[in-house]
């Protein structure tokens, strides 16, 4: 039912109708490649499962302007976590009223910009932030629509680095803090307290904790008639390998939507829209056998895709050319960066590859390029989008140059 964009045809890995080797040859490696068809399919699938909900793409997962533009035209709103992301979203054509602005530490400058732009929602998780927005809105003669972010004290079943809804996390407000704000809403006359926001983590492995969190948010909302919207955040999971069993989008919708009857619902998916629409192409530079390990050294590093180094995350890695005669071997796939954690895969079975062979690191569309850095003075990779027709492709971000590396520096 779900049409994978990355498939072999005649032994060559394709993104929809385009042979990835052609992109690697013309643009070089490392390069991110995105299937716009898959992005649209993912978005429409989520919109269909969560009928009636407002889908705000979480731009932090991948903020490339071409993707933001595509999703805006497709009808998505945006979930932004900085003034910079709002700037990007507006540049891509997002309507200000379809932008939610979230974040645990928004600065006065960022809040001012967001107010000036008339963005749709402020997701707020600090009483002092409410006072600040109220004051600024008063001076500007505007009203600000607020969704208070609730920390339900629920521990999500996911990697601890991406769980946010438990007690002790920096995120959200306790029930008592939310009640204190809502019970004294009249003290902040320029704010409309119209929503509650709850997001307990990313890559959620089951629906149980989310159901508990959403139910708690709804129960809290019921005491306050001004609350008409519940924003359930992101977190829809994506399998990173074929044997990873995870609830699908339809399951999340079936378990959550019935709890929210009578409320407007906002959803902030990032990963579920872009992760499996993207790959990172890299080329083998060398091999080295040492200490009982067969190393495959590639030209992408942890600076280009840091998920494996940061979360020990698994990404499937496959060759661009399928060779029937290539024996399988157990290798460690590493990058060139001067860090021991610059490892994409340990003890991984891979058909034999030689220098100059190209590999695709799969499911790399989300939290890949956005988390890339120039560490080791490595220019960040190019990004390519394959058009929804599957037959043409564009460079949507050029590869950085050495000049880009020093562009912001001033010499003595
Ligand atoms: N809404 C809020 C308030 C969030 O904090 C996040 C993600 C999202 C929505 C989008 O979540 P998604 O649908 O993508 O799970 N760098 C990590 C993930 C960090 C997620 C941060 N917040 C990774 O590579 O796994």
């Amino acid at each position: 039912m779900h049409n994978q964009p990355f498939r072999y045809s005649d032994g060559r890995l394709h993104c929809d109708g385009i042979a990835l080797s052609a992109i690697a040859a013309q643009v070089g490696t490392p390069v991110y490649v995105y299937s716009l068809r898959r992005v649209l399919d993912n978005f429409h699938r989520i919109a269909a499962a969560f009928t009636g909900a407002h889908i705000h793409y979480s731009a932090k997962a991948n903020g490339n302007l071409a993707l933001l533009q595509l999703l805006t035209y497709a009808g998505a709103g945006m979930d932004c976590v900085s003034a910079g992301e709002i700037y990007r979203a507006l540049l891509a054509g997002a309507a200000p009223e379809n932008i939610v602005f979230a974040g645990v530490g928004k600065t006065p400058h960022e809040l001012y910009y967001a107010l000036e732009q008339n963005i749709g929602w402020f997701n707020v998780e600090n009483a002092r932030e409410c006072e600040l927005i109220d004051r600024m809105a008063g001076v500007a003669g505007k009203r600000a629509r607020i969704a208070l972010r609730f920390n339900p004290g629920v521990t999500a079943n996911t990697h601890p680095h991406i769980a946010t809804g438990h007690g002790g996390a920096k995120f959200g407000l306790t029930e008592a803090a939310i009640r204190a704000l809502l019970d004294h809403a009249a003290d902040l006359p320029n704010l409309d307290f119209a929503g509650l926001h709850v997001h307990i983590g990313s890559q959620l492995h089951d629906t149980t904790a989310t159901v508990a969190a959403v139910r708690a948010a709804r129960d809290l909302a019921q005491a306050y008639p001004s609350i008409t919207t519940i924003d359930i955040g992101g977190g829809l999971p994506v399998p990173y390998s074929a044997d990873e069993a995870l609830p699908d989008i339809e399951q999340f919708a079936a378990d959550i939507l019935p709890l929210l009857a009578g409320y407007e619902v906002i959803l902030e998916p990032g990963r579920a829209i872009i992760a499996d629409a993207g790959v990172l192409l890299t080329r083998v530079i060398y091999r080295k056998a040492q200490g009982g390990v067969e190393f495959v050294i590639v030209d992408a590093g942890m600076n280009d895709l840091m998920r494996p180094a940061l979360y020990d995350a698994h990404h499937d890695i496959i060759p661009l050319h399928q060779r029937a005669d290539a024996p399988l071997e157990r290798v460690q796939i590493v990058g060139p960066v001067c860090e021991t954690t610059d490892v994409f895969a340990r003890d991984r079975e891979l058909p034999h590859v030689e220098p100059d062979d190209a590999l695709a690191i799969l499911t790399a569309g989300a939290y890949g390029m956005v988390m890339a850095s120039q560490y080791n003075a490595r220019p960040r990779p190019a990004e390519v989008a394959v058009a929804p027709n599957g037959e043409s492709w564009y460079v949507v971000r050029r590869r950085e140059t050495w000049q880009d590396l020093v562009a912001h520096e001033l010499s003595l």
Side-chain angles (χ1 to χ4, degrees), residues 58 60 79 162 199 202 234-235 268-271 307 311 367 371:
S58 200
K60 68 173 84 72
D79 160 36
I162 52 176
H199 167 90
S202 195
E268 303 169 344
R271 191 190 312 267
R307 302 193 69 257
Y311 315 114
Y367 306 108
M371 292 171 74

Side-chain angles (χ1 to χ4, degrees), residues 12-15 17-29 31 33 281 283 320-321 358 384 386 393 395:
R12 290 165 148 244
L13 190 64
H14 282 64
C15 174
I18 304 289
L20 287 168
S21 53
I23 295 175
Q26 285 188 51
V27 183
T29 51
V31 58
V33 181
L281 305 185
R283 210 173 274 285
L320 258 51
H321 286 177
V384 163
V386 173
W393 57 274
V395 174

